[in-house]
Amino acid sequence: MYTFRQIILTLITLLSALQLSAQKVQNITGKIIDEASRQPLTGAVIQLTDVKNMGAVSDADGNFTLIAVPLGRQTLKVSYTGYEERTVNDVLVTAGKEVHLTIALQEALHQLDSVKVTYSKAKDKTRTNNEMIQVSARSFNVDETKRYAGALGDPSRMAANFAGVVSGNDARNDIVVRGNSPNGMLWQLEGLNIPNPNHYGALGSTGGPVSMLNNNNIDKSDFLTSAFPAQYGNAVAGVFDMKLRDGNRNKKEFVAQIGFNGFELGAEGPLGNKKNTSYVLNYRYSTLGAFQKLGINFGTGSAVPQYQDLNYKVVSDVTKKDRVTFFGVSGNSRINFLGSEIDTSKTELYGGNPDFDERNKFGMSVTGASWERRLSDKTTSKLTLGYAYTLQQYNMDSLSTADRRAIPYANGKFTTTKLSGVWSLTHKWNARNNMQAGVVYDQLSFDLVNKDFLTNGTERVYIDRTGSYGLAQGYALWKHRFSNHLSGVAGVHGQYLTLNNSIAAEPRASVRYTFGRQALGLGYGLHHQAQNVYTYYVETAGPNGVMNTNKDLGFTRSHHSVLTYDWNINEHMRLKAEAYYQILGNVPVEQRLTSFSILNSGYDFGVTDVDSLVNKGSGRNYGTEVTLERFFDKGYYFLATGSFFSSKYKGSDGVERNTAFNTGYVLNALAGKEFKVGKKGNIMALNLKVTHVGGRYATPIDMQQSQAQGKAVYMEDKAFSLQQSAYFRTDLRVSYRKEYKKSTLEMAVDFQNLTNHQNVFLNYYDAKNAKMVTVYQQSFFPVPTLRYTF
């Protein structure tokens, strides 16, 4: 049954639609839910602030539709009796695609017809999906991954613009969070803990050159950098909590895109006639790989990166209380560096060593299915089952200096499969109190082989094992709102590793107090992380045969403490500052006295072949961060972040040293402006990014010993004491958006490293010429993109 208010608003919207029929318009659809219980809210009023007499009311399932909305950036205001009013800014409406929003409202502590408070979480444009997060986190959406210069639609490269995050590597998207190894990151997709979702991702790493997560499929997601709530476990650095968006339930829509990262085709729409089921999928194939098949060479020689990936999600509301979802991300990649085919008279984009032939293959796949049921108006249960697969394989031959004959040098193949189950329960007692609890279980199976072929005809085997073990996790957390100004979250997380019976219990807590337009937050968390499967099974040759001396390693431990300050200067500008201190313990180091620590893993993106490790190392990270952000409004935005930090560690020799990631500081400045072009409302945009990062630390090489032995000999007692020069890069993105009646064409060019600044990638010892060689990162490089939605 429709209420009188719903009928009046519908009539007003239809009259507005008739007036706008001559204009280019599009619909906005969405759902209004309670932030704590995730239950739909019936009768919420949604209005466009910049268009008179245009609004809608949510139906019994919380759904709403705004018909014939003018194209461009719009602002929505959502109100509901007994709840805090929420404003949603910067909603981009284009002709080629309907907009779908899920808007969560927070219940007011005092039941008034129109609740407003001076400082409202509802006005925080960086508010996270997870309402239990109160410190060291922010949300991001697909528009940001496309807007920021240099991001190239990649969530990791986009997050590198946030305070506390360091990239500084043009070749890959690994990110360093507050001085931690990239391997300390946790990736989640729709609640599942997933492997590295990047092409060319090595075993145990968390990054790669190209992301498999397609930004055409990404929904609003959360990024956490410290003291994360109890539902996140087995991580000591940060969390990417990724969500995939639902497909359009009203009509079919398509996207075609071409850029340096690949050719893409996407489709979405309803399944069946009831409009209770939708799908969205996107397929991509590497651009250079496609051109190679057409016989076109872009100066890469034989080193052509070939990859493809598929993202998909199917959602069905099978009943008013039950939702079933199927989702997945799958991709494979390969690249060959063939020294036997290198033309030394030419410069090739991806280079390679002329003395070796190397063939590499990678793969990753995640498939999941979830069942969400509303047990009552205040309680929701969700069960998710998943399967994940990873593959990394390489074969390396040395080339004879006499006749260029290929001689086996090394090979490896790492395969893992993981079966996962996640169950969670969300319950809202009242406006003041709500809770979450859940269990997570991952069963990992593996088949790992890695060996070198020696010149005397024997083999050096680093690992040759198959096996399986499980990681069980459980959590519970509770949020209490003492008043409109003060709230607290307390929780506990526990995990158990079946491999060696390691166990950990982790308290987590945070409080947040708001006053005026400002807020203070304090958070603490104890976190643990299991070691990489490869690390556990590295082989040690002993008098009684092969041993796995790392198998009994316990979890790495981390204490996170953070103090945060927020100031909403006005509706469109925000200042945020955070100070943090992190203490790491139980860090794997060698039994003998050396500078080695697992905290530096991920520095060279390969696996660590060190055996005989013990949990006796330590580390500490501390620093301050400042963010000044003007959210997109009136055609422009800017973001400035500064991070100043120290990252130190101790190996088994007890000497405190810089970690490989202790750059000391990172500064980012981004800005963008949109301009209307012509009378038809087409848009041109300019986006600029400038990044300055302190130099990373490396271990110096003993030149005298290296020349005597004919190979690189490192001065391990001076590990990570040699600082490289600072990193500096400027990116410019120029884009143009043209609106047709029912489609949108977008063109853009990313001018990467606009000033052609030489940033050091690495320094290595060239044994053939007995000298040090410096390899630089990407020079100036334009990346065009063309996107058409219809």
Side-chain angles (χ1 to χ4, degrees), residues 700-711:
I701 287 178
D702 187 326
M703 286 296 295
Q704 185 176 357
Q705 288 297 318
S706 297
Q707 291 170 352
Q709 299 183 33
K711 64 178 183 180

Side-chain angles (χ1 to χ4, degrees), residues 163-379:
V165 182
V166 181
S167 177
N169 185 344
D170 299 338
R172 296 170 59 90
N173 61 12
D174 303 78
I175 59 173
V176 174
V177 177
R178 294 180 171 176
N180 287 282
S181 163
N183 296 349
M185 289 290 301
L186 169 68
W187 281 93
Q188 278 197 351
L189 181 67
E190 295 289 324
L192 281 181
N193 298 330
I194 66 171
N196 182 353
N198 291 281
H199 287 294
Y200 306 102
L203 178 69
S205 67
T206 59
V210 182
S211 176
M212 293 184 192
L213 294 170
N214 195 296
N215 70 334
N216 289 315
N217 288 54
I218 293 174
D219 203 354
K220 181 183 175 183
S221 301
D222 293 339
F223 177 66
L224 299 80
T225 56
S226 183
F228 18 95
Q231 72 186 79
Y232 304 106
N234 198 37
V236 295
V239 179
F240 265 113
D241 188 353
M242 303 297 300
K243 305 296 182 185
L244 298 177
R245 66 180 182 84
D246 295 353
N248 194 323
R249 296 193 177 192
N250 299 311
K251 66 177 184 178
K252 293 182 179 180
E253 295 176 328
F254 304 92
V255 59
Q257 181 171 314
I258 180 174
F260 187 77
N261 284 344
F263 292 93
E264 302 181 27
L265 290 173
E268 62 181 288
L271 288 175
N273 298 322
K274 296 182 179 180
K275 293 188 177 181
N276 64 339
T277 304
S278 70
Y279 72 91
V280 57
L281 59 89
N282 194 285
Y283 172 78
R284 174 174 57 182
Y285 191 87
S286 61
T287 304
L288 295 183
F291 282 138
Q292 184 199 43
K293 293 183 181 297
L294 297 174
I296 303 173
N297 192 316
F298 277 82
T300 64
S302 61
V304 178
Q306 299 189 46
Y307 53 86
Q308 57 184 332
D309 51 60
L310 177 70
N311 290 216
Y312 66 90
K313 184 178 182 181
V314 179
V315 179
S316 179
D317 291 326
V318 291
T319 70
K320 287 188 175 296
K321 293 185 177 182
D322 296 276
R323 164 173 281 208
V324 175
T325 303
F326 299 93
F327 61 91
V329 175
S330 181
N332 59 66
S333 50
R334 60 187 175 92
I335 189 169
N336 299 328
F337 299 97
L338 303 181
S340 58
E341 297 183 10
I342 287 179
D343 185 347
T344 56
S345 65
K346 298 179 180 179
T347 300
E348 295 184 351
L349 184 60
Y350 293 105
N353 191 326
D355 298 324
F356 292 92
D357 279 354
E358 184 178 352
R359 296 171 173 84
N360 299 275
K361 183 188 296 185
F362 301 83
M364 194 285 292
S365 180
V366 174
T367 303
S370 67
W371 171 38
E372 185 175 1
R373 180 171 177 79
R374 289 161 48 194
L375 302 178
S376 71
D377 289 341
K378 295 181 178 294
T379 308

Side-chain angles (χ1 to χ4, degrees), residues 31-41 373-380 426:
K31 189 167 189 172
I32 311 299
I33 61 173
D34 179 280
E35 184 177 62
S37 68
R38 315 306 290 181
Q39 302 294 325
L41 296 179
R373 180 171 177 79
R374 289 161 48 194
L375 302 178
S376 71
D377 289 341
K378 295 181 178 294
T379 308
T380 300
T426 302

